[in-house]
PDB file of all heavy atoms in Angstrom:
ATOM      1  N   GLY X1368       5.347   3.783 -15.028  1.00  0.00           N
ATOM      2  CA  GLY X1368       5.053   2.456 -14.361  1.00  0.00           C
ATOM      3  C   GLY X1368       4.709   2.772 -12.892  1.00  0.00           C
ATOM      4  O   GLY X1368       4.935   3.795 -12.336  1.00  0.00           O
ATOM      5  N   GLN X1390      -6.649   4.816  -8.150  1.00  0.00           N
ATOM      6  CA  GLN X1390      -7.748   5.396  -8.729  1.00  0.00           C
ATOM      7  C   GLN X1390      -9.024   4.422  -8.537  1.00  0.00           C
ATOM      8  O   GLN X1390     -10.100   4.915  -8.699  1.00  0.00           O
ATOM      9  CB  GLN X1390      -7.447   5.722 -10.209  1.00  0.00           C
ATOM     10  CG  GLN X1390      -7.732   4.519 -11.195  1.00  0.00           C
ATOM     11  CD  GLN X1390      -6.713   3.439 -11.109  1.00  0.00           C
ATOM     12  OE1 GLN X1390      -5.642   3.623 -10.455  1.00  0.00           O
ATOM     13  NE2 GLN X1390      -6.829   2.431 -11.897  1.00  0.00           N
ATOM     14  N   ALA X1415      -0.835   3.866   9.920  1.00  0.00           N
ATOM     15  CA  ALA X1415      -2.167   3.458  10.486  1.00  0.00           C
ATOM     16  C   ALA X1415      -3.038   3.105   9.263  1.00  0.00           C
ATOM     17  O   ALA X1415      -2.985   3.762   8.230  1.00  0.00           O
ATOM     18  CB  ALA X1415      -2.907   4.520  11.298  1.00  0.00           C
ATOM     19  N   VAL X1420     -12.461  -4.083   2.994  1.00  0.00           N
ATOM     20  CA  VAL X1420     -13.524  -4.832   2.301  1.00  0.00           C
ATOM     21  C   VAL X1420     -13.014  -5.078   0.936  1.00  0.00           C
ATOM     22  O   VAL X1420     -12.671  -4.214   0.292  1.00  0.00           O
ATOM     23  CB  VAL X1420     -14.915  -4.076   2.347  1.00  0.00           C
ATOM     24  CG1 VAL X1420     -15.931  -4.827   1.509  1.00  0.00           C
ATOM     25  CG2 VAL X1420     -15.361  -3.797   3.722  1.00  0.00           C
ATOM     26  N   ILE X1422     -13.706  -5.688  -2.762  1.00  0.00           N
ATOM     27  CA  ILE X1422     -14.724  -5.617  -3.679  1.00  0.00           C
ATOM     28  C   ILE X1422     -14.319  -5.976  -5.199  1.00  0.00           C
ATOM     29  O   ILE X1422     -13.193  -5.864  -5.475  1.00  0.00           O
ATOM     30  CB  ILE X1422     -15.311  -4.219  -3.737  1.00  0.00           C
ATOM     31  CG1 ILE X1422     -14.236  -3.049  -4.013  1.00  0.00           C
ATOM     32  CG2 ILE X1422     -16.000  -3.915  -2.351  1.00  0.00           C
ATOM     33  CD1 ILE X1422     -14.800  -1.652  -4.179  1.00  0.00           C
ATOM     34  N   ASN X1427     -19.226  -5.128  -5.743  1.00  0.00           N
ATOM     35  CA  ASN X1427     -19.722  -6.191  -4.978  1.00  0.00           C
ATOM     36  C   ASN X1427     -18.674  -6.759  -4.110  1.00  0.00           C
ATOM     37  O   ASN X1427     -17.595  -7.026  -4.463  1.00  0.00           O
ATOM     38  CB  ASN X1427     -20.321  -7.355  -5.816  1.00  0.00           C
ATOM     39  CG  ASN X1427     -21.637  -6.809  -6.585  1.00  0.00           C
ATOM     40  OD1 ASN X1427     -22.407  -6.129  -5.993  1.00  0.00           O
ATOM     41  ND2 ASN X1427     -21.661  -7.067  -7.842  1.00  0.00           N
ATOM     42  N   THR X1475      13.391   4.173   3.850  1.00  0.00           N
ATOM     43  CA  THR X1475      13.196   2.863   3.190  1.00  0.00           C
ATOM     44  C   THR X1475      13.753   3.058   1.704  1.00  0.00           C
ATOM     45  O   THR X1475      14.050   4.253   1.339  1.00  0.00           O
ATOM     46  CB  THR X1475      11.750   2.539   3.063  1.00  0.00           C
ATOM     47  OG1 THR X1475      10.988   3.339   2.093  1.00  0.00           O
ATOM     48  CG2 THR X1475      11.144   2.410   4.372  1.00  0.00           C
ATOM     49  N   LEU X1477      11.738   2.892  -0.687  1.00  0.00           N
ATOM     50  CA  LEU X1477      10.462   3.191  -1.410  1.00  0.00           C
ATOM     51  C   LEU X1477      10.026   1.960  -2.023  1.00  0.00           C
ATOM     52  O   LEU X1477      10.236   0.713  -1.683  1.00  0.00           O
ATOM     53  CB  LEU X1477      10.605   4.380  -2.175  1.00  0.00           C
ATOM     54  CG  LEU X1477      10.989   5.733  -1.337  1.00  0.00           C
ATOM     55  CD1 LEU X1477      11.024   6.864  -2.341  1.00  0.00           C
ATOM     56  CD2 LEU X1477       9.910   6.020  -0.290  1.00  0.00           C
ATOM     57  N   ILE X1518       2.222 -13.317 -12.862  1.00  0.00           N
ATOM     58  CA  ILE X1518       3.439 -12.500 -12.484  1.00  0.00           C
ATOM     59  C   ILE X1518       3.833 -11.593 -13.602  1.00  0.00           C
ATOM     60  O   ILE X1518       4.258 -10.371 -13.332  1.00  0.00           O
ATOM     61  CB  ILE X1518       4.664 -13.445 -12.153  1.00  0.00           C
ATOM     62  CG1 ILE X1518       4.383 -14.324 -10.942  1.00  0.00           C
ATOM     63  CG2 ILE X1518       6.026 -12.807 -12.187  1.00  0.00           C
ATOM     64  CD1 ILE X1518       5.296 -15.419 -10.593  1.00  0.00           C
ATOM     65  N   GLU X1519       3.580 -11.939 -14.842  1.00  0.00           N
ATOM     66  CA  GLU X1519       3.864 -10.992 -16.074  1.00  0.00           C
ATOM     67  C   GLU X1519       3.078  -9.717 -15.923  1.00  0.00           C
ATOM     68  O   GLU X1519       3.593  -8.580 -16.080  1.00  0.00           O
ATOM     69  CB  GLU X1519       3.620 -11.745 -17.371  1.00  0.00           C
ATOM     70  CG  GLU X1519       4.621 -12.808 -17.539  1.00  0.00           C
ATOM     71  CD  GLU X1519       4.326 -14.144 -16.858  1.00  0.00           C
ATOM     72  OE1 GLU X1519       3.143 -14.351 -16.332  1.00  0.00           O
ATOM     73  OE2 GLU X1519       5.155 -14.941 -16.731  1.00  0.00           O
ATOM     74  N   THR X1537      11.244 -16.649  -5.659  1.00  0.00           N
ATOM     75  CA  THR X1537      12.696 -16.849  -5.101  1.00  0.00           C
ATOM     76  C   THR X1537      13.338 -15.609  -5.073  1.00  0.00           C
ATOM     77  O   THR X1537      14.009 -15.130  -4.082  1.00  0.00           O
ATOM     78  CB  THR X1537      13.389 -17.804  -6.017  1.00  0.00           C
ATOM     79  OG1 THR X1537      12.718 -19.086  -6.233  1.00  0.00           O
ATOM     80  CG2 THR X1537      14.764 -18.119  -5.416  1.00  0.00           C
TER      81      THR X1537
END
Side-chain angles (χ1 to χ4, degrees):
Q1390 88 287 354
V1420 177
I1422 57 174
N1427 295 315
T1475 71
L1477 298 177
I1518 291 171
E1519 291 79 15
T1537 306

